[in-house]
């Protein structure tokens, strides 16, 4: 097999949306950042804050452990980059969801 016969599709992970998913799932399970730090065996909480802000991804070990703690698969935590604009799938605060829909309604009306 030559290099020319290998066709790969480049996929990347959306760091910001992955961070949002991690934050949502940690909150849903009722954990604080300090509790997650202890469960992951980290010396400080800064790496977790970087993950949640979409600046970095956890190491494979931490990602696997995080998925086990939260009762999810690694795939459930990682969000692939999309060419489409992200719209919140489920608003934790329904008023935020209403404001977003109102905003998008106004934007679409002006187009």
């Amino acid at each position: 097999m030559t290099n020319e016969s290998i066709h790969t599709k480049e996929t990347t992970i959306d760091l910001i949306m992955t961070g949002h998913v991690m934050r949502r799932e940690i909150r849903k399970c009722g954990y604080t950042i300090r509790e997650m730090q202890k469960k992951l065996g980290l010396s400080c909480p800064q790496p977790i804050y970087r993950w949640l802000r979409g600046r970095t991804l956890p190491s494979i070990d931490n990602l696997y452990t995080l998925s086990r703690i939260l009762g999810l698969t690694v795939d459930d935590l990682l969000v692939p980059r999309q060419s489409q604009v992200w719209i919140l799938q489920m608003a934790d605060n329904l008023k935020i969801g209403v404001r977003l829909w109102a905003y998008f309604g106004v934007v679409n009306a002006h187009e």
Side-chain angles (χ1 to χ4, degrees):
M1 185 178 324
T2 66
N3 287 340
E4 296 168 340
S5 65
I6 300 173
H7 298 286
T8 60
K9 181 179 178 184
E10 184 178 336
T11 58
T12 58
I13 296 169
D14 188 323
L15 297 178
I16 293 172
M17 289 307 296
T18 296
H20 288 301
V21 168
M22 288 180 187
R23 181 181 305 276
R24 183 187 70 215
E25 295 301 326
I26 289 169
R27 283 183 181 164
K28 191 188 300 184
C29 289
Y31 293 115
T32 66
I33 299 303
R34 289 284 182 190
E35 290 170 330
M36 292 305 300
Q37 172 194 341
K38 289 178 184 177
K39 288 184 172 292
L40 292 166
L42 300 172
S43 60
C44 68
Q46 297 312 320
I48 298 172
Y49 288 116
R50 286 192 292 270
W51 306 339
L52 301 183
R53 290 184 184 118
R55 294 198 176 132
T56 62
L57 284 173
S59 68
I60 296 296
D61 289 341
N62 286 330
L63 186 61
Y64 177 76
T65 304
L66 182 62
S67 72
R68 302 289 293 187
I69 292 168
L70 300 175
L72 301 167
T73 66
V74 170
D75 281 346
D76 291 336
L77 291 174
L78 298 175
V79 180
R81 180 164 289 155
Q82 305 279 326
S83 59
Q84 303 167 354
V85 175
W86 281 101
I87 298 175
L88 296 177
Q89 294 177 0
M90 180 182 296
D92 293 331
N93 177 344
L94 293 179
K95 290 180 183 177
I96 291 172
V98 170
R99 286 195 303 255
L100 283 173
W101 284 115
Y103 170 79
F104 285 115
V106 170
V107 169
N108 289 335
H110 292 291
E111 290 179 349

